[in-house]
Amino acid sequence: MNLEDSLGDILRKARISNQVDPGTAAGEAGLEVAEYERLEETGVAPEGTRFEPLGRRLTLSGPRLAGIARGWRPEPVDLTQWQCLEVITTAGEGMTVNAFLVWDPVTRAAALFDTGFEAEPIVELVGRHQLHLTHIFITHSHGDHVAALAPLRGRYPSARVHSGSLRAPKDQRLVAGEVISLGGLRITHRETPGHAEDGVTYVITGWSGDAPAVLVVGDAIFAGSMGGARDQLPLARDRVLGMILSMAEDSLICPGHGPLTTVGQEKTHNPWFP
Ligand SMILES: [Zn+2]
């Protein structure tokens, strides 16, 4: 799977959040304005692009931008460590989005994290693994993450919905410090606003075989980038550093878009979090 954000996407997001015009960014990069604009569009950096000064101006790590330009990808994670975890990637509105299904192997109780665009692949997995869907956790209420919520609620009316949104009905709102058990699995949440004001990261522990924690982060961080945060960039980064990248290095990061990654890989390679 390709990275969610190309080099050009990363530069454009950081430039807009930091209110830098293309001419200034081009000057730092040692490029003509047209060349720099083409870089943002295509993600292909001309030979000799000066990543150090460009990164400094855009509050990104220059060496890590250069790494993305050279084609960095997260090392594929061995998902067999977490036997009861499925990734469901669906497409709509010109993009793809990830949802995640986890379950306890003994009780067969299952929890869904975000819904993506389509209910059918989720219904199929729940049936194939003979699960009971008891919880639906929402990372944030952007449309691509909750598009299939209504049909899934219709299909699984007893599943409890959890959301960080203050606009959610009261019985769906997350309670600080609450631990939800799914057989032997434990699910807690941490507030990670910035990309979305109701952004939440779910932490799943208690895996059999002592597999590392799984972090369902929504769009707070991607492999090699992060969800756009516009004028909330300082808050977004602060929460990612304190709530996500502070976890053990082997923790699995399940982002709303793009490939899965780990805390360790993002601490080493993500240009937004040097
Ligand atoms: Zn989003």
Side-chain angles (χ1 to χ4, degrees):
M1 188 186 267
N2 283 333
L3 294 181
E4 170 63 11
D5 281 352
S6 72
L7 178 65
D9 297 330
I10 295 169
L11 294 174
R12 191 181 54 253
K13 276 184 187 174
R15 187 175 59 70
I16 290 169
S17 279
N18 288 290
Q19 297 177 314
V20 175
D21 60 83
T24 304
E28 298 287 3
L31 301 173
E32 300 294 330
V33 180
E35 283 180 311
Y36 177 80
E37 286 178 333
R38 210 171 315 126
L39 164 56
E40 283 196 1
E41 269 163 43
T42 64
V44 180
E47 195 75 37
T49 300
R50 298 190 319 217
F51 287 109
E52 286 278 359
L54 176 62
R56 212 174 302 125
R57 189 70 182 80
L58 299 183
T59 68
L60 298 168
S61 156
R64 294 181 185 192
L65 286 174
I68 302 271
R70 286 192 303 268
W72 176 81
R73 294 277 183 287
E75 279 166 36
V77 187
D78 175 15
L79 285 179
T80 59
Q81 294 179 81
W82 300 273
Q83 283 174 14
C84 303
L85 166 70
E86 290 267 8
V87 186
I88 304 114
T89 304
T90 52
E93 298 166 15
M95 63 171 121
T96 62
V97 64
N98 300 326
F100 302 90
L101 185 70
V102 309
W103 65 93
D104 178 81
V106 178
T107 63
R108 314 307 288 176
L112 178 69
F113 295 82
D114 288 344
T115 73
F117 287 107
E118 291 173 51
E120 285 71 34
I122 293 160
V123 172
E124 192 276 321
L125 279 173
V126 167
R128 192 200 314 162
H129 294 293
Q130 300 183 300
L131 308 175
H132 321 285
L133 188 70
T134 53
H135 297 275
I136 300 174
F137 294 91
I138 303 301
T139 63
H140 65 299
S141 53
H142 288 173
D144 47 337
H145 293 258
V146 296
L149 184 56
L152 286 166
R153 293 198 74 192
R155 184 75 175 67
Y156 305 104
S158 60
R160 195 176 143 201
V161 178
H162 306 264
S163 161
S165 171
L166 292 175
R167 284 182 289 277
K170 218 166 177 197
D171 63 340
Q172 297 185 4
R173 273 185 233 159
L174 288 160
V175 177
E178 188 178 8
V179 181
I180 291 163
S181 296
L182 197 70
L185 296 172
R186 292 157 50 87
I187 300 163
T188 58
H189 76 277
R190 301 166 163 219
E191 288 178 11
T192 45
H195 166 75
E197 72 172 356
D198 62 350
V200 166
T201 288
Y202 296 99
V203 180
I204 313 166
T205 55
W207 298 91
S208 59
D210 267 342
V214 171
L215 313 176
V216 184
V217 301
D219 297 350
I221 182 171
F222 301 143
S225 190
M226 62 185 291
R230 297 270 169 166
D231 54 340
Q232 297 295 315
L233 182 58
L235 169 71
R237 283 167 140 170
D238 190 64
R239 293 303 177 93
V240 169
L241 284 168
M243 300 290 180
I244 298 173
L245 297 182
S246 56
M247 298 287 287
E249 302 225 332
D250 58 359
S251 305
L252 178 67
I253 295 179
C254 294
H257 306 274
L260 276 57
T261 183
T262 61
V263 166
Q265 294 200 69
E266 295 313 304
K267 279 170 78 172
T268 311
H269 297 286
N270 193 310
W272 296 87
F273 303 99

